[in-house]
């Protein structure tokens, strides 16, 4: 979706496959973070879970400075964004704890879609300490669902069942809370 809109805006005559190949080669060099965030949408639409997860997992979630430098590099090399977009991005793109946790959960979810519990667990555990400080109920629930799916894939069925039950109680209480209001 995003890639198609960029192609339409720039009037580019390249095909999606050519663009995918260019981006994949460029990403191997580790320079393009913004594309790493947007391009997985295309892979997800094609149900290429592993490629989408690999694309996102290449982002350095611990360094906002590198992220800004990578975006400037992308801007200079592809020249498809306006200076206003660049300024807005640089102001808002520093990764806070919620964004880091969100990215880790997203990457874990993609690996789980591919049935790769090992890599999913690595990303779920990476910033697990951030869940305790997060006040984002939906994100915390997504984290718990990913974690229980990992337990399930690792054949820890009793622990997974207990956690599934805990999640069902959270959802049940949320439904009761909204129906009373």
């Amino acid at each position: 979706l995003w890639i198609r809109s960029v192609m339409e805006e720039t009037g580019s005559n390249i095909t999606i496959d050519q663009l995918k190949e260019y981006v994949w080669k460029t990403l191997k060099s580790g320079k393009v973070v913004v594309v790493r965030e947007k391009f997985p949408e295309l892979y997800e639409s094609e149900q290429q879970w592993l490629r989408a997860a690999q694309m996102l997992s290449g982002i350095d979630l611990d360094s906002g400075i590198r992220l800004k430098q990578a975006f400037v590099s992308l801007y200079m090399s592809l020249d498809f964004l306006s200076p206003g977009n660049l300024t807005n991005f640089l102001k808002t793109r520093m990764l806070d704890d919620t964004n880091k946790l969100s990215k880790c959960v997203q990457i874990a979810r993609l690996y789980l879609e591919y049935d790769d519990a090992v890599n999913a667990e690595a990303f779920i555990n990476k910033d697990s300490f951030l869940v305790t400080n997060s006040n984002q109920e939906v994100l915390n629930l997504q984290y718990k669902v990913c974690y229980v799916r990992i337990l399930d894939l690792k054949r820890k069925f009793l622990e997974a069942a207990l956690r599934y039950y805990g999640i069902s109680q959270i959802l049940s209480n949320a439904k009761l809370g909204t129906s009373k209001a």
Side-chain angles (χ1 to χ4, degrees):
L1 300 170
W2 176 78
I3 300 297
R4 286 185 182 103
S5 67
V6 168
M7 289 172 57
E8 288 171 6
E9 287 176 21
T10 59
S12 178
N13 291 328
I14 63 173
T15 66
I16 294 284
D17 290 333
Q18 289 171 325
L19 185 59
K20 277 186 196 178
E21 188 62 31
Y22 167 76
V23 170
W24 193 251
K25 286 178 183 176
T26 306
L27 292 177
K28 287 183 180 180
S29 67
K31 295 179 183 175
V32 186
V33 175
V34 173
V35 175
R36 279 191 184 273
E37 288 185 330
K38 296 293 184 179
F39 212 75
E41 294 171 13
L42 184 61
Y43 284 128
E44 282 186 70
S45 71
E46 296 173 354
Q47 297 183 355
Q48 293 184 21
W49 313 118
L50 181 60
R51 273 212 144 156
Q54 289 171 334
M55 185 83 59
L56 285 174
S57 64
I59 298 172
D60 182 6
L61 297 174
D62 299 320
S63 174
I65 294 169
R66 285 188 191 158
L67 191 62
K68 284 184 177 184
Q69 290 171 343
F71 185 79
V72 171
S73 171
L74 171 68
Y75 177 75
M76 296 304 177
S77 65
L78 297 180
D79 196 33
F80 62 81
L81 297 173
S82 69
N85 288 345
L86 176 64
T87 304
N88 289 337
F89 178 85
L90 294 178
K91 287 180 185 174
T92 61
R93 193 55 194 97
M94 292 297 287
L95 286 175
D96 63 5
D97 289 346
T98 302
N99 287 336
K100 280 199 251 184
L101 180 60
S102 176
K103 284 290 175 220
C104 285
V105 168
Q106 182 183 9
I107 294 166
R109 181 186 56 78
L110 289 167
Y111 277 122
L112 286 169
E113 288 294 328
Y114 187 68
D115 288 335
D116 184 348
V118 174
N119 282 318
E121 186 174 28
F123 279 93
I124 279 297
N125 290 338
K126 184 175 182 169
D127 287 329
S128 60
F129 65 94
L130 296 174
V131 174
T132 56
N133 298 330
S134 173
N135 58 1
Q136 304 290 321
E137 292 178 26
V138 173
L139 182 58
N140 291 346
L141 187 60
Q142 289 172 342
Y143 174 88
K144 289 177 183 181
V145 168
C146 282
Y147 187 76
V148 76
R149 286 183 62 199
I150 290 167
L151 292 173
D152 213 3
L153 285 172
K154 291 175 70 178
R155 303 196 182 296
K156 295 184 178 182
F157 299 123
L158 182 58
E159 189 177 351
L162 292 171
R163 291 185 185 256
Y164 275 125
Y165 178 75
I167 290 170
S168 73
Q169 294 303 302
I170 292 170
L171 295 173
S172 175
N173 291 338
K175 285 181 183 177
L176 288 175
T178 57
S179 64
K180 290 180 182 178

